[in-house]
Amino acid sequence: NAGVTQTPKFRVLKTGQSMTLLCAQDMNHEYMYWYRQDPGMGLRLIHYSVGEGTTAKGEVPDGYNVSRLKKQNFLLGLESAAPSQTSVYFCASSYSRTRTGGLGQPQHFGDGTRLSIL
Amino acid sequence: AQSVTQLDSQVPVFEEAPVELRCNYSSSVSVYLFWYVQYPNQGLQLLLKYLSGSTLVESINGFEAEFNKSQTSFHLRKPSVHISDTAEYFCAVSPRSYNTDKLIFGTGTRLQVFP
């Protein structure tokens, strides 16, 4: 049982390049999330998904796009990378509140992708 | 809107000393409360959570936190820390009214335990 797996673990890009970060979970979770972590700022939500085929914007969505074509995968795309997007990116997943009787559930996190934009 | 404040960015303590990491939140609706721990070069792991019921919650490794509704706080405590507790600790809230479990995080507190 791998939990939440992120690929790649490290990447260096040049300004203007594009790339896709992949998140895969094997826990049959309905909800998935992408966060970025920057020093002194904690984690901030970029985009999230409440189910296959649905996505929504979080706190800092500009410059990113996402897709959830399969329940177990959540992709984060950078179309034209900028130095301000240098960060550590975390994917997380959780059960839906419908499944848990309305109670909030903790999120399970991957180990992160460290991305540097030069 | 919700916000989470962790006033202490760093907390240095000696091994076997007690520690308290402070967390205050602001929200116009009821929230669920969480503490996550992040060890170096790893993702976040759930430490403990308050969903309902007893306001004092405990983790398996000796940490505890108490939900204080009147003070809108969820401080994390441990009576005797170990070197292995050195990590960054994040307090987070999730509004009960949402249909997702979006988390709003504090900026984190780095706990450094010295021998």
Side-chain angles (χ1 to χ4, degrees):
Chain A
N1 190 341
V4 178
T5 303
Q6 293 183 234
T7 52
K9 296 189 184 305
F10 305 94
R11 186 73 182 268
V12 178
L13 292 178
K14 294 181 179 179
T15 297
Q17 287 184 317
S18 64
M19 79 161 295
T20 300
L21 281 64
L22 173 64
C23 176
Q25 53 95 3
D26 61 2
M27 296 172 283
N28 202 30
H29 285 165
E30 289 79 12
Y31 300 161
M32 296 188 75
Y33 314 82
W34 276 107
Y35 295 89
R36 60 177 289 173
Q37 182 180 26
D38 302 291
M41 303 189 74
L43 279 80
R44 293 178 292 168
L45 183 65
I46 304 171
H47 287 280
Y48 65 98
S49 169
V50 299
E52 184 178 321
T54 69
T55 63
K57 294 180 180 180
E59 181 186 358
V60 288
D62 294 342
Y64 306 94
N65 56 75
V66 289
S67 65
R68 183 117 181 254
L69 299 180
K70 294 182 178 181
K71 184 177 183 179
Q72 64 267 33
N73 296 336
F74 195 29
L75 278 63
L76 177 71
L78 286 72
E79 290 186 346
S80 180
S84 61
Q85 294 176 304
T86 293
S87 187
V88 182
Y89 291 85
F90 287 99
C91 177
S93 68
S94 65
Y95 286 118
S96 74
R97 290 192 179 182
T98 302
R99 189 201 287 238
T100 60
L103 278 179
Q105 288 299 304
Q107 294 179 16
H108 298 256
F109 285 80
D111 286 339
T113 295
R114 191 173 298 274
L115 184 61
S116 294
I117 316 294
L118 304 179
Chain B
Q2 292 75 36
S3 65
V4 178
T5 302
Q6 293 180 249
L7 288 173
D8 305 306
S9 60
Q10 296 188 59
V11 174
V13 294
F14 287 108
E15 195 172 20
E16 298 183 3
V19 71
E20 178 180 81
L21 307 184
R22 296 179 293 169
C23 172
N24 289 88
Y25 69 93
S26 173
S27 177
S28 58
V29 300
S30 297
V31 296
Y32 299 116
L33 296 140
F34 304 87
W35 274 100
Y36 284 85
V37 59
Q38 184 180 33
Y39 298 103
N41 299 314
Q42 294 186 25
L44 278 70
Q45 302 173 31
L46 179 70
L47 188 60
L48 45 77
K49 61 186 179 185
Y50 172 74
L51 302 182
S52 63
S54 172
T55 57
L56 182 65
V57 291
E58 298 177 352
S59 72
I60 59 173
N61 58 353
F63 282 95
E64 65 177 29
E66 185 161 19
F67 170 49
N68 187 318
K69 188 175 181 179
S70 63
Q71 297 185 5
T72 60
S73 67
F74 192 52
H75 302 330
L76 182 69
R77 302 184 183 92
K78 189 170 186 180
S80 176
V81 295
H82 302 288
I83 296 287
S84 59
D85 292 324
T86 294
E88 187 148 23
Y89 293 79
F90 291 94
C91 181
V93 302
S94 178
R96 291 175 181 257
S97 58
Y98 283 6
N99 66 346
T100 76
D101 282 298
K102 291 190 294 182
L103 290 171
I104 297 92
F105 284 90
T107 52
T109 297
R110 186 170 299 277
L111 176 64
Q112 182 75 50
V113 181
F114 295 94

